[in-house]
Amino acid sequence: MVQIILGLLSTLIIHINGNTVTNPKAVLSCGLPGSTLHSTVTFDTESIQTNTTTTYRCETGFHLIGPWRRICLENGTWMPNAPPVCMKNVAFGKPASQSSTDAKRGPQNAVDGNEDTCTLTETEISPFLYVNLLETFPVEMVIVKFRRPCCENNISVTMTVRVGNRVHDLLSNPICNTYTGQMNEKDTYRFSCSLRKFPPVGAFVSVHLKTPIATSLSICEIYVYTKQALSVQYCPVFEEEPSTATIYLGKCYFFHSNHPKSLEDATKFCTLHGGRILHHTTSSGLAGFLLWEFYKRHKTNYEYWNGIIRDPVSKNWKLLEGKDPFSSWNIPPTGKSCSKFDHDVMMNKSQSDTECNRKLNFICEHRPITCGMPKRPANSSIIMGSTVGSAIEYHCQPGHLLQGASKIACLDIGLFSDVAPKCLYIECDFPA
């Protein structure tokens, strides 16, 4: 089957038997414009010529940062010079905290996706707010929308955004960027973290306000953008039973909370759909992720299978798919041979046994099925598959030299194995 993806005939991208193929023989006045990770590009003419306009769009779940259109100029260059980028806001819906709370305007208002709901701290010296991303990301940009001005008499303030992994000592985390100047009502500030060679990496993003006098901090929304994130669109799709999916550390987690099943039936259901039922883990990171997801869905009233059972012979606890004893568990025999997640277990890091024939909610763990659209450098063409495990092959247009890896792979964590190469123009001097 052949399917046209882009309308530009001379740079035609088509699907052939499940593979995506880009025509490498196009000769264009401006050259192929390229596109960034997670984006697609379309054209308003059948061949690239002066005044040809490109339109960029991001995959679902990603935000376009920068001009969404570019035009081919008479001098054979694209304007603007660089394409926009597609990045994901990884702060949305994540747990947040602030130095204090006034008028019940809590920190979650900064990450609820609604710019009409804002946080508010008490009047204090150096108020701050931070977001727990639940996993580490290379942070490219942070956008903060403030509610209240600061301060009277045109007093200058200093706002600092930090990114790192120290939650108990936020001021020791690396600085993303800083702004010093006046702060007006409903101002929006964009902090680029890409000024250094590599963006800062961390799970905690904090905003600190420093003024010569005590003041309050009110944030209506904070956006934390990264290129290295997955979208739930990369996960498998199952229509026969409703569930809600989320992603953590390169895996898709489907929360089945509307049709409880016995442990046996839940295990079969996950396996039948190419995944497995979530197993208990000693990872504090995964435990924190689950605790937050349970809270968002159920607050404190929930029960989910956790995949630990009692061995019928030794009576020791073991993982559902494992043979070795689960040594960290020491629940004495009670006649109950299965275990569960519930609020008390998650909060107290304890264990809870239950009967195996009960019907509880469950979580299926899956791998992503795609890495999304790869980055395509200017003046390049690609041959690619669309699924995990497939390879992407880059070719440069005539007169250009490929710098970097000519092939990269889509890994089973939904990310590409390497960065895309560049196609450098070969400019030769006059012969001697």
Side-chain angles (χ1 to χ4, degrees), residues 154-213:
N154 296 324
I155 293 178
S156 181
V157 305
T158 298
M159 288 178 284
T160 303
V161 173
R162 294 178 177 271
V163 179
N165 292 312
R166 298 184 180 95
V167 64
H168 298 298
D169 187 13
L170 295 171
L171 292 177
S172 66
N173 285 330
I175 293 177
C176 155
N177 215 323
T178 298
Y179 165 81
T180 299
Q182 295 181 15
M183 178 178 172
N184 301 312
E185 185 175 2
K186 297 184 179 180
D187 270 355
T188 298
Y189 296 89
R190 179 175 297 193
F191 297 87
S192 174
C193 303
S194 301
L195 300 180
R196 59 181 69 189
K197 184 176 181 180
F198 298 104
V201 177
F204 299 97
V205 177
S206 57
V207 179
H208 304 261
L209 183 61
K210 186 177 181 180
T211 63
I213 60 175

Side-chain angles (χ1 to χ4, degrees), residues 388-405:
V388 165
S390 60
I392 301 168
E393 185 175 338
Y394 287 89
H395 297 272
C396 291
Q397 294 297 296
H400 294 79
L401 177 67
L402 188 142
Q403 183 184 63

Side-chain angles (χ1 to χ4, degrees), residues 62-178:
F62 292 86
H63 297 181
L64 189 142
I65 308 295
W68 59 285
R69 284 187 175 179
R70 301 171 73 196
I71 187 170
C72 177
L73 303 181
E74 291 184 358
N75 62 4
T77 62
W78 290 99
M79 179 62 69
N81 181 54
V85 295
C86 292
M87 295 191 284
K88 184 177 179 180
N89 173 26
V90 290
F92 174 72
K94 298 296 176 61
S97 185
Q98 59 188 9
S99 52
S100 62
T101 299
D102 190 20
K104 297 183 179 180
R105 297 181 185 177
Q108 289 306 126
N109 288 345
V111 290
D112 62 357
N114 184 355
E115 295 182 4
D116 293 327
T117 61
C118 307
T119 70
L120 183 63
T121 69
E122 297 175 351
T123 300
E124 57 184 308
I125 299 295
S126 302
F128 66 86
L129 177 142
Y130 74 85
V131 181
N132 181 358
L133 305 179
L134 298 177
E135 57 180 298
T136 59
F137 292 99
V139 176
E140 305 276 350
M141 178 183 297
V142 177
I143 297 178
V144 185
K145 294 184 177 290
F146 291 95
R147 176 64 177 270
R148 294 191 171 188
C150 180
C151 301
E152 297 180 356
N153 302 320
N154 296 324
I155 293 178
S156 181
V157 305
T158 298
M159 288 178 284
T160 303
V161 173
R162 294 178 177 271
V163 179
N165 292 312
R166 298 184 180 95
V167 64
H168 298 298
D169 187 13
L170 295 171
L171 292 177
S172 66
N173 285 330
I175 293 177
C176 155
N177 215 323
T178 298

